[in-house]
Amino acid sequence: MHGEYKVPGGKLVVVDLDVRDGVLRDVRVAGDFFLEPDDALPAIDAALEGASADTDASGLAARIDAALPPGTQMFGLTSEGVGVAVRRALAHATDWTDYDWQLIHDVPQEPRLHMALDEVITAEVAAGRRPPTLRVWEWGAPAVVIGSFQSLRNEVDAEAAERHGIEVVRRISGGGAMFIEPGNTITYSLSVPDALVQGLSFADSYAYLDDWVLGALGDMGVKAWYQPLNDIATDAGKIAGAAQKRVVTSHGAVLHHVTMAYDIDADKMTEVLRIGREKLSDKGTKSAKKRVDPLRRQTGLAREAVIERMIASFRGRYGLTEGAVTPEEMARAEELVRTKFGTPEWIARVP
């Protein structure tokens, strides 16, 4: 069995192993990480040898930590990362490069249609009718996007939203509210087979699916990192929030979508969103305006240039061919707007 895992912000860990009589055998760990002293690597292999195949990543990491020589130094590597690579080998997880990725970067669409397209495209990936897809959104109108389980009245000031001409929509994933203005926001979705995140915990899958964009931001001079559970942050503040939805079928798929602040009208945002003291209490700030630091200031680039560089970075890592929403997918999405995403029953399903 073979498993690979890119440690977030670190290096690639590769594990080859067999399972006999329910335990790990012939374990070999490798990768492009740095490790001192030299005998630390065989110590890691020995620590994993004989472990139950049911041991989770944390348990495997504990075995490794207990066996490491005194003074061991890991660079780009963690014991937990080795444990995750083992779990991915046991789950027969796939890798990014195992797929022919498709890009959808279409004309601006209304907010409700974007909600529907996420559901349709991810369902198509789950059914095997569409390859794994990176969809970069273009917004046709301003919006507030609330999470699947958020209370409408608790999150949005309806009068302020109406006054500013801002539509309120609800997505299928959880998480918090996002304030959207077309020229000030960068949003993308990854619709991926469930096999890509096999062996990862729910939290680890966020970091794993965000890793490519951290590299893209780094190429633009922005040192960013994954901040559990679902934020991308820099020293200047949060720049993006992610959310996920799992589609459970015989194969399954994961929707992972991210909204990034390119620029922001903070005064308008705080008028429309009811951002309370409790939500801000663990953010180290008394002001919602200070929680988000736009990419425009951090990169010095036009929004279009940021998007182009992000796409180029993904293409350079994993390959990416141009694609489009099919007529059948668009018809299904438009039907979902009529029957679900555009209805008061869905938008106010948690009043």
Side-chain angles (χ1 to χ4, degrees):
M1 299 176 185
H2 178 86
E4 298 185 1
Y5 179 61
K6 169 70 164 53
V7 176
K11 299 294 185 177
L12 182 69
V13 182
V14 181
V15 177
D16 292 285
L17 56 85
D18 288 324
V19 175
R20 294 194 291 274
D21 298 324
V23 299
L24 308 186
R25 294 298 183 195
D26 302 326
V27 182
R28 294 293 179 269
V29 176
D32 60 355
F33 48 79
F34 301 92
L35 181 64
E36 295 290 347
D38 281 350
D39 60 355
L41 186 60
I44 293 173
D45 293 343
L48 296 171
E49 192 75 20
S52 169
D54 294 328
T55 307
D56 63 15
S58 296
L60 295 170
R63 290 176 66 104
I64 293 169
D65 289 336
L68 289 173
T72 295
Q73 298 291 315
M74 295 181 176
F75 303 94
L77 174 69
T78 64
S79 299
E80 183 79 17
V82 177
V84 171
V86 171
R87 296 308 313 168
R88 285 176 60 76
L90 294 169
H92 302 285
T94 56
D95 184 68
W96 294 84
T97 54
D98 292 333
Y99 299 104
D100 294 323
W101 291 88
Q102 186 173 111
L103 170 69
I104 296 176
H105 188 193
D106 214 337
V107 298
Q109 306 284 5
E110 64 172 14
R112 290 175 293 178
L113 186 60
H114 277 307
M115 304 302 108
L117 284 169
D118 261 359
E119 180 170 316
V120 169
I121 288 171
T122 306
E124 290 298 287
V125 172
R129 293 187 291 266
R130 161 173 284 282
T133 299
L134 167 64
R135 185 170 73 92
V136 179
W137 303 21
E138 293 294 345
W139 291 90
V144 168
V145 183
I146 60 175
S148 180
F149 310 109
Q150 288 189 294
S151 163
L152 177 61
R153 71 166 68 98
N154 288 347
E155 296 298 325
V156 183
D157 185 319
E159 291 184 1
E162 184 176 1
R163 183 169 66 252
H164 289 292
I166 295 174
E167 180 181 2
V168 181
V169 294
R170 187 184 293 272
R171 61 181 183 268
I172 59 174
S173 62
M178 308 301 295
F179 177 74
I180 306 295
E181 292 185 298
N184 292 345
T185 306
I186 297 172
T187 304
Y188 67 86
S189 300
L190 285 168
S191 296
V192 306
D194 184 67
L196 183 63
V197 297
Q198 283 297 308
L200 299 177
S201 68
F202 187 77
D204 285 340
S205 71
Y206 273 85
Y208 185 69
L209 295 176
D210 281 339
D211 189 66
W212 73 274
V213 81
L214 300 185
L217 290 169
D219 292 341
M220 289 180 265
V222 178
K223 180 176 174 53
W225 58 85
Y226 163 73
Q227 183 169 294
L229 169 66
N230 62 332
D231 289 346
I232 297 173
T234 71
D235 286 332
K238 173 181 171 179
I239 58 174
Q244 286 187 7
K245 177 67 176 178
R246 306 296 172 106
V247 176
V248 181
T249 63
S250 56
H251 297 290
V254 177
L255 168 65
H256 179 91
H257 44 199
V258 174
T259 292
M260 312 177 76
Y262 172 73
D263 203 350
I264 196 163
D265 185 333
D267 291 322
K268 188 186 299 184
M269 179 185 73
T270 53
E271 282 185 52
V272 175
L273 296 184
R274 298 186 189 276
I275 302 175
R277 293 180 182 177
E278 181 67 24
K279 184 169 184 178
L280 295 174
S281 63
D282 65 344
K283 305 298 183 181
T285 179
K286 294 181 180 179
S287 172
K289 300 177 185 178
K290 297 178 181 177
R291 289 187 56 212
V292 181
D293 195 74
L295 283 172
R296 181 180 64 82
R297 187 173 70 180
Q298 294 199 41
T299 65
L301 297 171
R303 175 181 176 275
E304 293 74 16
V306 173
I307 292 174
E308 287 174 4
R309 294 195 184 193
M310 287 172 58
I311 291 172
S313 180
F314 191 101
R315 181 178 285 115
R317 285 177 172 228
Y318 310 125
L320 193 60
T321 59
E322 299 290 333
V325 177
T326 68
E328 294 78 12
E329 290 168 341
M330 184 59 76
R332 175 62 180 147
E334 290 171 344
E335 178 186 354
L336 282 175
V337 169
R338 292 191 297 271
T339 61
K340 179 178 180 178
F341 292 101
T343 66
E345 291 78 13
W346 171 256
I347 297 169
R349 81 183 191 108
V350 183

